Amino acid sequence: MKKILVTGCGSLLGQGIIKTILSSNQSYEIFGTEYIKDSVGLYWVKKAYILPDILKKKVKLNNWYLKILKIIKRHKINYLIPGLDFELPILNKIKLKLEKNTKCKIIISEKKIIDICSDKWSTSEFLRKNNFAYPNSCLPNNLKYFLRNNKFPLIVKPRMSSTSRNIFLVRNKKELKLALEKCPKPVIQEYLFKKNNEYTCGVIFNPKKNICLSSVVLNRNLKNGNTIKATLEKNKNNKIISNFIVEVTKRLKPFGPLNFQLCLTKKGPVIFEINPRFSGTTPLRNIFGINEIQILLNSLENKKLKKLQLKQGTIYRYFSDYFIKKGFY
Ligand SMILES: Nc1ncnc2c1ncn2[C@@H]1O[C@H](COP(=O)(O)OP(=O)(O)O)[C@@H](O)[C@H]1O
Ligand SMILES: [Mg+2]
C-alpha cells in the first residue's frame, strides 16, 4: 500500500487533501505533520507529527529537514503532499536532498513556478509577457501612469497573501491612498468582478509525459476567503475557461497541480491568482467526479487513467462536527 505524508494536515487545505485521498478507490496510508495540535485533521491520519516552527528564526532549516526525513524513513513514505502555502519555498529547498535520501516524491513544482505564483505582481507579469489575458496591474511607483489608463473602482491587495486578507476595493483617490497605507507590499489591479463571474479551476499536469491529465472549472462564491458554494456546469463558458487554463498550464509545466482563480470578463478569462498546489476545493472537485490526487498518482505510477465522468451541479459547504473519544485527544 502506498503511503502519503500530508503536511499541514490540520489546515483546511490539509483536511481537504486527506478527505480526497480517503475517498479515492485505492487505499493509501496517510500520515501528517502540523505545527499546532488543535485540529480535527490530526485525527484523520494514521499518525500526526508536530514539526518545529520553521517560521521562527531560531529553528534551523536543517533541523526541520531532519525531522521530516526521519518521518519519511520511518514510515517508508512514497509521496509528500504540501498542505500549507508557506512551506512551498522551504520544501523546494530540501526537495533534491530529500528525494536523494529516500524513495519519497514531493508533489511540488520548480522554484521558478513557486516564485511566479507566490507574488501576484509576478503572476500578472508572467501572463502579460506570455500573451495571455492579464489583470491590468501596477506597483505604487507607477501609479500615476496607471491611473491615466485605468478607471476606479480598483483593487489594492498584498503581493503575497492568502484567504482574502487585506483586500481593498477602492472607489476614488482618497480611498486608494488609505488602502495603500494599510496594505503590506501592495499591487494595484483593475477590478474584474461582476456578479457570478468568479471561478476556481484546476489543472493536473504530468511533466514527465508533458500532458494535462485533467481540468476542472467551478463557478464560485466566497465567504471570508473560502469557497462556500461551487457550481459545475458543462457550458460554453466552462469550455472557454478550461481551454485557457490548459494553455497557461502548458506554458508553466508544473509538477502536478495548478490552481487558478479567475474572472470571466470581456477580455475572456482573466487570472488573478495561481496556486502551485492542490486547492482548498480539491474535495469538492472530487465530488464533481475529478479526484485530482488519484489522477496524478495514477499517472506517476503509469496506471491506466479512467475516463472522467463529470457530474453537473452545485455544492454548498457547511460546518460539520467530529467526535473524539476521551483518551484519544
Ligand atoms: N483584480 C480583482 N478584481 C476583482 N476581485 C478581485 C481581484 N483580485 C482579487 N479579487 C477578489 O479578492 C479575492 C482574494 O484575492 P486573491 O488575489 O485570490 O488573493 P488571496 O491570496 O487572498 O486569495 C478573490 O477571490 C476575489 O474575490
Ligand atoms: Mg485567492
Side-chain angles (χ1 to χ4, degrees), residues 120 135 155 157-158 160-165 167 189-193 198 220 222 225 261 263 272-273 275:
K120 278 152 189 134
I155 285 279
K157 62 181 182 181
M160 288 161 225
S161 187
S162 61
T163 52
S164 299
R165 258 174 292 152
I167 310 263
Q189 220 160 60
E190 72 172 298
Y191 185 61
L192 301 163
F193 189 69
E198 182 165 347
R220 71 150 167 190
L222 287 155
Q261 291 166 26
C263 287
F272 54 80
E273 186 181 22
N275 292 311

Side-chain angles (χ1 to χ4, degrees), residues 209-226:
K209 299 180 180 165
N210 202 24
I211 46 167
C212 290
L213 304 167
S214 68
S215 117
V216 58
V217 174
L218 303 181
N219 186 231
R220 71 150 167 190
N221 296 72
L222 287 155
K223 192 175 182 185
N224 301 329
N226 285 306

Side-chain angles (χ1 to χ4, degrees), residues 60-73:
K60 296 276 174 290
L61 178 63
N62 199 43
N63 291 347
W64 189 81
Y65 164 73
L66 289 173
K67 180 95 195 214
I68 292 190
L69 181 70
K70 205 167 155 189
I71 299 166
I72 289 176
K73 282 196 161 166

